[in-house]
């Protein structure tokens, strides 16, 4: 992917050069920069520096959609993909487990969750929702001294940044946590020549990095750059000044934050650094704003050509009258984020990362059409400029479709705002909260966008009241969504080290492939016998767990598929059974450091050494049963029955036949709630009654018709024969139905595509498998009718198996071809694709890699004819002279 990124950036930059000459847009200093530090060269210099001088392995950027990390909406730092290493959870069979020194440029999105810079985007000139983070890592290899030396050498010698413009912060210590100041780092910087008045101590907030509530952490040291120079700017460090900006953060992981909040020394120390490419390019191209570098100027120019407003002038704050320049920045930033996210499989949608992307799209549409006066379609038309080689009509279609959907809401909302404004007093400064909330809730306006639109009119809205409404709304959502991710049992690195030192063998998960296709088209899975090797509560190894306790179970072998390789873990219906037939429904299956962890809530005491049998259970509610439940509830809604409520003496209430009670002390008199049948009629056991009657002091609807609609969105077997279902009603039910339809269409179009690719290449098969994985995630996580989810999951599982099988076959074929080179008709061996690509790319100043049969290369395509000629020459030479 990184190669692809280089390649498309190379193409973009070539286009820019021609654009600049035709339109005379770019200034002289830019062409000067092209020969000095183009963004491409800056990125390349970084990776080459660590790779060539310090033997770091170059690792490609991971996609912005995090896999297997429910704590993240988007990848927001270079370290995300290496988290398993920091947690000691890397699969020992994986390449990752061998990493000691690594360098990369990671695509990051900070627009939601813990890291959210959305508010700053457009207002300032150095925060983006999407940016690239350059980073180098040491996993138990070098530490503070080497990391500082490398960073200083790169900045001052390779990039030739004047040292006097740099300021360095270090950890000042924290008495409450019992942490001393990081004097070691201070001395290292002094020895490198950083003057003491450029070395600044800061506390926990700025200079102590933590992965989360628990996990690896440690002091950090940050490098800041003064854009002005010729002064001492120490007081502006960490002061939100656009003139003195943090460029690089070096984190030294030496502690682990334990569950009791104490700090424990890590078994091995690591280094994790991150430097924003956009900010570095700004420094190196002698600019003050990221938007004035070659990463943005062509995009701003493209925006101007499509809009009806003066060119971008880089103004901020009060000087930016009409917020035109801010709109330019927002649109440029957001279209980059949209393009990258969509290319990585995050589409605008209704929850989680998808919802964030939808919000970003809507902000961009609003600024593009209302402030920049650009026509409909302008936004998507910028995509080719963002990433020429990734031009995808699919991306443009999605943006266009979302834009069309939102434009009518935008117009409607604009009318609502205008009408409300007319009704407000002349000197009013507050916009009514209910109207703002209805814009958000009913027309899909992001709350921050409403704030911005009102700000332009000199008004504001009670943000706290809106936040309260949003939280209430979110809580409601959460209640109906079973969030497995929040409750997972994670193996931390201490637990893993403990397992390894206790010589518990890694889980044999080969039985996961023991399945066959029966004649009725259903998959048949073989049951698997296993022994409990280890048990976890939270992160603590225990020898037994009591009934009702949630725990992690490590077995010697398993037939359950753990989340990996683009496929999510097997879903509900996986069950452990004791010989005594006690069921342990498995809620999630995860892979950590070669161990498969089954998350279960123990039905009875479970002990290390217990024998269990595992099988994929088909015993939950069937799809027709789920549909039947929904149908009978719809009938009740349609009948619009009255709901009767009456207080009656407790003893009398107990005479009601079929009354539902729970194990609770009820007051006397007690409140009886009955649907459709008046309370007085309930005592008659002859009444043919089938509706609900219960003791309840809660508030209720007065008629069943007010429910409007109902969709069951999840269902879980609690014990054999009893399932718990969760449903949504009203508008949420309608949305769930719509989301179900959209996902069905996507699954259908994907299976149609799979069916049409007769003999896919390995790359095709991998891509399709990835798409199946992404779609599976969406089907698992989106609120849709549960029966539909089950249908789609079954179809996707079939698709996943098809793609996995073809990948396995193609890989085997590739390996055998690599060992038995094809013999050409002239008697010579076939060319190695990777050698061929390397030769051509080297001539074009790029790099290449791949296998004997498939390879990809990068390079500057200044002269495509020359590139083709070089490729042909090589081939001719090889076939004429033999390989
Ligand atoms: N939103 C962003 N846009 C562009 N670059 C960023 C952004 N956030 C961080 N960076 C870059 O990534 C580097 C490492 O990230 P880190 O999390 O340490 O930044 P940060 O402390 O959040 O930065 P800031 O305080 O300036 O927002 C920063 O030094 C900066 O160069």
């Amino acid at each position: 992917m990184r190669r692809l990124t280089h390649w498309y950036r190379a193409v973009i930059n070539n286009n820019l050069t021609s654009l600049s000459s035709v339109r005379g847009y770019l200034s002289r200093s830019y062409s000067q920069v092209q020969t000095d530090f183009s963004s491409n060269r800056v990125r390349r210099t970084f990776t080459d520096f660590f790779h060539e001088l310090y033997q770091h392995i170059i690792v490609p950027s991971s996609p912005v959609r995090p896999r297997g990390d429910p704590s993240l909406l988007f990848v927001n730092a270079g370290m995300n993909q290496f988290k398993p290493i920091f947690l000691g959870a890397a699969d020992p069979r994986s390449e990752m487990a061998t990493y000691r020194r690594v360098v990369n440029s990671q695509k990051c999105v900070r627009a939601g969750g813990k890291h959210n810079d959305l508010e700053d985007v457009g207002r300032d000139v150095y925060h983006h929702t999407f940016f690239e983070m350059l980073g180098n890592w040491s996993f138990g290899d070098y530490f503070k001294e080497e990391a500082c030396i490398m960073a200083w050498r790169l900045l001052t010698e390779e990039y030739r940044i004047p040292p006097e413009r740099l300021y360095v912060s270090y950890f000042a210590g924290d008495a409450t946590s019992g942490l001393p100041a990081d004097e070691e780092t201070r001395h290292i910087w002094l020895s490198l020549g950083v003057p003491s008045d450029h070395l600044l101590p800061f506390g926990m907030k700025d200079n102590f990095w933590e992965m989360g509530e628990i996990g690896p952490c440690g002091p950090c040291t940050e490098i800041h750059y003064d854009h002005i120079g010729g002064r001492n700017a120490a007081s502006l460090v960490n002061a939100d000044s656009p003139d003195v900006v943090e460029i690089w953060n070096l984190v030294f992981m030496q502690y682990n934050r334990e569950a009791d909040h104490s700090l424990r020394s890590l078994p091995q120390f690591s280094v994790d650094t991150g430097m924003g490419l956009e900010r570095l390019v700004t420094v190196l191209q002698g600019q003050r704003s990221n938007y004035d570098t070659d990463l943005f100027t062509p995009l701003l120019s493209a925006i101007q050509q499509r809009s009806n407003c003066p060119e971008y002038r880089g103004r901020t704050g009060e000087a930016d009258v009409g917020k035109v320049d801010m709109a330019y920045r927002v649109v440029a930033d957001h279209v980059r984020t949209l393009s990258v996210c969509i290319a990585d499989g995050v589409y605008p949608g209704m929850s989680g990362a998808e919802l964030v992307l939808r919000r970003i799209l809507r902000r961009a549409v609003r600024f593009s059409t209302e402030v920049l006066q650009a026509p409909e379609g302008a936004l998507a038309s910028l995509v080719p400029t963002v990433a020429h080689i990734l031009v995808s009509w699919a991306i443009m279609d999605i943006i266009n479709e979302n834009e069309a959907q939102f434009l009518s809401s935008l117009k409607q909302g604009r009318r609502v705002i205008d009408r409300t404004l007319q009704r407000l007093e002349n000197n009013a400064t507050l916009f009514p909260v209910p109207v703002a909330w209805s814009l958000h809730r009913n027309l899909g306006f992001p709350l921050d966008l409403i704030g911005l639109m009102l700000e332009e009119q000199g008004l504001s809205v009670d943000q706290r009241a809106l936040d309260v409404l949003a939280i209430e709304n979110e809580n409601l959502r959460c209640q109906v969504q079973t969030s497995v991710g929040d409750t997972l049992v994670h193996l931390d690195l201490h637990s893993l080290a403990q397992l390894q030192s206790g010589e518990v063998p890694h889980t044999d998960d080969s039985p996961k492939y023991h399945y066959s296709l029966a004649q009725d088209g259903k998959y048949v899975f073989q049951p698997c016998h296993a022994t409990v090797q280890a048990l976890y509560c939270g992160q603590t190894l225990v020898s037994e767990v009591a009934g009702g306790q949630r725990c992690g179970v490590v077995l010697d072998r398993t037939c359950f598929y753990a989340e990996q390789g683009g496929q999510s873990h097997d879903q509900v219906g996986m069950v452990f059974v004791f010989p005594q037939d006690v069921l342990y429904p498995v809620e999630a299956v995860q892979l950590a450091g070669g161990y498969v962890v089954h998350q279960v809530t123990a039905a009875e005491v479970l002990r290390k050494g217990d024998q269990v049998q595992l099988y994929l259970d088909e015993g939950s509610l069937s799809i027709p049963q789920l549909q039947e439940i929904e149908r009978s509830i719809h009938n009740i809604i349609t009948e619009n029955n009255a709901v009767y409520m009456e207080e009656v003496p407790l003893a009398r209430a107990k005479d009601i036949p079929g009354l539902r009670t729970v194990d609770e002390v009820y007051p006397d008199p007690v409140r009886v709630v009955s649907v459709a049948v008046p309370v007085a009629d309930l005592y008659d056991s002859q009444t043919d009654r089938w509706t609900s009657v219960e003791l309840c002091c809660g508030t209720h609807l007065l008629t069943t018709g007010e429910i409007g609609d109902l969709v069951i969105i999840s269902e879980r077997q609690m014990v054999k024969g009893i399932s718990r279902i969760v449903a949504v009603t009203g508008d949420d039910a309608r949305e769930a139905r719509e989301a179900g339809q959209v996902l069905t269409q996507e699954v259908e179009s994907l299976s149609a595509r799979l069916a049409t690719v007769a003999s896919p290449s390995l790359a095709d098969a991998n891509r399709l498998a990835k798409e199946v994985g992404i779609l599976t995630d969406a089907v698992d996580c989106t609120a849709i009718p549960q029966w539909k989810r089950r249908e789609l999951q079954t179809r996707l599982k079939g698709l996943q198996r098809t793609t996995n099988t073809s990948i396995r076959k193609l890989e085997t074929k590739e390996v055998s071809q690599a060992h038995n080179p094809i013999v050409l008709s002239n008697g010579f061996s076939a060319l190695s694709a990777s050698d061929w690509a390397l030769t051509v790319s080297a001539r074009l100043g790029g790099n290449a890699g791949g296998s004997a049969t498939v390879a990809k290369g990068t390079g500057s395509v200044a002269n495509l004819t020359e590139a083709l000629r070089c490729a042909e020459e090589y081939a001719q030479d090889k076939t004429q002279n033999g390989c």
Side-chain angles (χ1 to χ4, degrees):
M1 191 55 181
R2 181 180 154 272
R3 296 205 173 100
L4 211 56
T5 312
H6 279 187
W7 183 271
Y8 79 71
R9 287 208 185 284
V11 175
I12 289 173
N13 283 331
N14 269 309
N15 276 359
L16 300 187
T17 331
S18 57
L19 266 181
S20 65
S21 56
V22 175
R23 298 186 186 115
Y25 176 80
L26 298 172
S27 65
R28 216 180 116 84
S29 65
Y30 174 65
S31 30
Q32 176 72 33
V33 157
Q34 282 285 298
T35 54
D36 281 332
F37 278 119
S38 69
S39 49
N40 265 336
R41 192 174 149 208
V42 175
R43 191 192 296 104
R44 177 78 160 275
T45 304
F46 186 91
T47 44
D48 285 356
F49 174 82
F50 285 100
H51 176 59
E52 282 161 21
L53 296 181
Y54 296 102
Q55 300 78 47
H56 286 58
I57 296 173
I58 302 178
V59 172
S61 169
S62 67
V64 292
R65 171 192 278 275
R67 282 211 63 87
D69 190 345
S71 67
L72 284 179
L73 284 178
F74 295 101
V75 164
N76 58 24
M79 60 75 58
N80 293 165
Q81 66 167 312
F82 305 118
K83 210 165 151 183
I85 309 184
F86 290 121
L87 295 171
D91 187 330
R93 295 163 296 186
S94 66
E95 190 189 343
M96 189 181 271
T98 65
Y99 290 163
R100 287 291 166 271
R101 294 177 175 212
V102 161
V103 60
N104 93 339
S105 170
Q106 173 66 48
K107 296 177 281 181
C108 296
V109 174
R110 291 192 172 179
K114 183 182 159 206
H115 273 298
N116 186 353
D117 290 339
L118 186 62
E119 283 297 308
D120 293 324
V121 172
R123 291 182 197 273
D124 73 21
V125 293
Y126 58 99
H127 279 99
H128 306 293
T129 50
F130 162 73
F131 65 99
E132 286 178 72
M133 193 185 278
L134 305 166
N136 60 293
W137 285 268
S138 148
F139 304 113
D141 192 337
Y142 61 82
F143 203 43
K144 296 182 181 177
E145 185 171 14
E146 295 89 331
C148 295
I149 291 174
M150 291 175 199
W152 197 249
R153 183 172 167 194
L154 176 64
L155 292 180
T156 59
E157 291 175 24
E158 293 293 320
Y159 289 135
R160 301 193 299 277
I161 296 176
E164 62 276 11
R165 292 280 188 107
L166 298 174
Y167 292 80
V168 181
S169 68
Y170 67 96
F171 181 50
D174 182 67
T176 333
S177 315
L179 286 167
D182 190 359
E183 284 298 324
E184 184 188 354
T185 299
R186 183 168 168 274
H187 284 295
I188 295 169
W189 287 121
L190 284 171
S191 72
L192 285 170
V194 179
S196 57
D197 60 353
H198 281 226
L199 255 175
L200 312 159
F202 283 92
M204 295 288 280
K205 182 174 137 297
D206 292 298
N207 279 76
F208 195 85
W209 189 90
E210 310 213 24
M211 191 182 283
E213 293 288 301
I214 46 176
C217 55
C220 61
T221 181
E222 293 180 340
I223 304 176
H224 300 249
Y225 178 81
D226 177 17
H227 281 287
I228 308 286
R231 59 180 182 166
N232 186 310
S235 63
L236 295 177
V237 169
N238 281 339
D240 283 337
S241 162
D243 297 331
V244 180
V245 175
E246 177 199 322
I247 55 170
W248 203 348
N249 187 359
L250 283 62
V251 180
F252 304 127
M253 300 218 196
Q254 58 188 102
Y255 304 107
N256 193 59
R257 177 73 74 187
E258 303 287 314
D260 64 2
H261 211 64
S262 63
L263 291 167
R264 214 165 126 189
S265 186
L266 281 170
Q268 63 170 27
F269 292 175
S270 297
V271 175
D272 155 27
T273 88
M275 171 152 64
L277 172 75
E278 295 73 9
R279 292 187 192 180
L280 178 64
V281 169
T282 303
V283 170
L284 298 179
Q285 295 187 358
Q287 301 295 348
R288 300 269 296 275
S289 154
N290 293 4
Y291 296 90
D292 292 335
T293 64
D294 67 340
L295 286 168
F296 283 93
T297 46
L299 193 48
L300 294 169
S301 160
I303 295 170
Q304 205 247 310
Q305 283 154 25
R306 287 153 181 81
S307 51
N308 194 7
C309 60
E311 67 178 15
Y312 176 69
R313 290 201 270 156
R315 296 160 307 176
T316 53
E318 297 285 296
D320 182 16
V321 182
K323 296 218 162 48
V324 172
D325 289 340
M326 171 169 161
Y328 265 111
R329 288 189 289 268
V330 169
V331 173
D333 173 275
H334 287 13
V335 78
R336 274 168 36 110
T337 309
L338 285 164
S339 306
V340 170
C341 286
I342 294 172
D344 277 354
V346 186
Y347 300 158
M350 296 308 293
S351 62
E354 280 75 12
L355 180 61
V356 173
L357 204 63
R358 183 174 186 250
R359 209 177 280 158
I360 288 175
L361 194 150
R362 290 180 169 218
R363 282 169 61 105
V365 170
R366 191 264 150 175
F367 277 101
S368 167
T369 55
E370 290 205 334
V371 183
L372 299 177
Q373 306 285 311
E376 187 175 345
L379 194 57
S381 75
L382 297 170
V383 174
T385 315
V386 177
H388 188 85
I389 212 159
L390 289 185
V391 167
S392 153
W393 293 105
I395 296 177
M396 292 174 68
D397 279 352
I398 290 166
I399 295 184
N400 276 333
E401 196 183 300
N402 274 268
E403 182 179 51
Q405 272 172 13
F406 182 54
L407 266 184
S408 65
S409 301
L410 183 61
K411 280 187 197 131
Q412 217 179 324
R414 167 59 66 201
R415 278 199 297 274
V416 172
I417 293 179
D418 290 347
R419 270 204 309 273
T420 313
L421 291 180
Q422 279 162 16
R423 283 203 299 271
L424 287 180
E425 304 274 336
N426 271 347
N427 55 356
T429 54
L430 270 181
F431 191 81
V433 170
V435 183
W437 180 249
S438 94
L439 285 172
H440 172 64
R441 170 89 204 179
N442 304 328
L443 293 177
F445 275 60
L447 286 178
D448 50 334
L449 178 60
I450 299 172
L452 275 172
M453 289 172 77
L454 293 176
E455 191 182 298
E456 287 164 14
Q457 309 279 347
L459 288 173
S460 62
V461 61
D462 183 347
Q463 201 59 48
R464 281 177 56 177
L466 280 182
D467 286 347
V468 169
L469 286 171
I471 290 167
E472 279 172 8
N473 199 44
E474 189 51 32
N475 286 345
L476 220 67
R477 260 183 187 284
C478 291
Q479 280 167 18
V480 296
Q481 282 181 355
T482 42
S483 164
V484 176
D486 290 348
T487 52
L488 288 181
V489 176
H490 291 286
L491 285 190
D492 72 358
L493 75 177
H494 297 303
S495 325
L496 280 168
Q498 233 178 321
L499 269 189
Q500 272 144 6
S501 64
E503 293 181 1
V504 174
H506 294 133
T507 316
D508 166 17
D509 61 354
S510 56
K512 71 188 176 199
Y513 294 124
H514 298 173
Y515 54 83
S516 54
L517 194 57
Q519 280 189 336
D520 60 1
K522 284 191 178 160
Y523 280 94
V524 180
F525 300 91
Q526 301 298 322
C528 164
H529 300 275
T531 307
V532 177
Q533 300 283 320
L535 290 162
Y536 282 91
C537 271
Q539 258 111 39
T540 318
L541 260 181
V542 290
S543 54
E544 72 172 50
V545 287
Q549 248 181 317
R550 166 165 278 146
C551 61
V553 185
V554 177
L555 303 167
D556 57 345
R557 58 203 306 265
T558 184
C559 57
F560 297 156
Y561 186 89
E563 169 152 349
Q564 63 192 298
Q567 182 176 338
S568 61
H569 63 77
D570 276 332
Q571 288 299 308
V572 286
M574 308 165 296
V575 180
F576 284 168
V577 205
F578 260 109
Q580 302 92 310
D581 258 11
V582 183
L583 300 179
Y584 292 77
V586 178
E587 294 152 17
V589 190
Q590 286 181 305
L591 193 62
Y595 297 102
V596 176
V597 185
H598 307 77
Q599 179 164 316
V600 304
T601 302
E604 276 188 4
V605 180
L606 188 62
R607 294 188 185 85
K608 203 173 147 192
D610 278 344
Q611 301 290 314
V612 293
Q613 190 175 7
L614 285 68
Y615 66 93
L616 284 137
D617 182 44
E618 307 293 339
S620 300
L621 285 169
S622 66
I623 291 177
Q625 279 173 320
L626 281 166
Q627 288 170 323
E628 181 53 34
I629 296 171
E630 268 189 15
R631 242 193 316 275
S632 34
I633 297 175
H634 281 148
N635 290 341
I636 296 170
I637 296 173
T638 316
E639 283 166 10
N640 196 16
N641 292 308
V643 179
Y644 298 96
M645 286 155 266
E646 203 175 303
E647 285 205 334
V648 297
L650 189 54
R652 177 103 177 98
K654 285 184 176 157
D655 291 340
I656 299 173
L659 177 79
R660 235 165 29 91
T661 58
V662 288
D663 186 16
E664 198 176 283
V665 179
Y666 286 102
D668 194 3
V670 70
R671 195 156 169 271
V672 177
V673 181
S674 160
V675 177
V677 183
V679 176
D681 299 347
L682 291 172
Y683 304 98
D684 179 2
S685 56
Q686 302 309 311
T687 312
D688 182 14
R689 186 163 56 72
W690 50 269
T691 54
S692 144
V693 52
E694 60 178 330
L695 297 183
C696 182
C697 60
T699 53
H700 290 256
L701 297 177
L702 298 179
T703 60
T704 56
E706 288 164 57
I707 296 169
D709 192 2
L710 179 138
V711 164
I712 297 172
I713 57 161
S714 86
E715 163 259 346
R716 180 182 296 176
Q717 190 183 30
M718 306 306 286
V719 289
K720 210 159 180 67
I722 298 182
S723 291
R724 185 180 69 186
I725 60 172
V726 176
V728 287
T729 58
D731 281 348
D732 288 347
R734 187 182 42 76
E735 278 177 20
R737 242 183 261 291
E738 282 169 11
Q741 274 161 12
V742 172
L743 287 172
T744 309
Q745 280 163 11
E746 297 214 9
V747 172
E748 267 158 18
S749 101
L750 184 57
S751 53
R753 271 192 292 136
L754 259 166
T756 51
V757 187
S759 46
S761 66
L762 184 54
D764 284 341
N766 274 318
R767 188 174 41 74
L768 287 167
K770 195 171 147 195
E771 280 186 52
V772 176
I774 289 169
L775 207 46
T776 306
D777 277 356
V779 166
D780 292 348
C781 304
T782 313
I784 58 172
Q786 180 66 6
W787 60 267
K788 175 138 283 185
R789 188 189 324 278
R790 297 263 294 277
E791 266 183 12
L792 296 179
Q793 280 169 342
T794 310
R795 289 183 66 181
L796 284 164
K797 213 160 220 164
L799 297 183
Q800 189 83 56
R801 294 201 162 98
T802 314
T803 50
N804 283 354
T805 311
S806 37
I807 289 172
R808 271 204 298 278
K809 280 188 189 152
L810 286 162
E811 278 175 349
T812 318
K813 191 170 152 199
E814 191 174 280
V815 169
S816 68
Q817 279 179 356
H819 289 108
N820 306 298
I822 305 158
V823 176
L824 295 175
S825 54
N826 61 6
F828 295 118
S829 309
L831 299 162
S832 152
S834 55
D835 287 351
W836 193 6
L838 259 175
T839 311
V840 177
S841 288
R843 291 274 288 268
L844 298 173
N847 209 343
S851 67
T853 48
V854 183
K856 267 186 206 159
T858 63
S860 152
V861 203
N863 187 341
L864 200 59
T865 329
E866 158 67 11
L868 290 171
R869 197 180 54 73
C870 166
E872 255 173 49
E873 256 178 32
Y874 180 91
Q876 270 166 12
D877 179 51
K878 288 287 162 191
T879 46
Q880 277 158 19
N881 302 322
C883 297

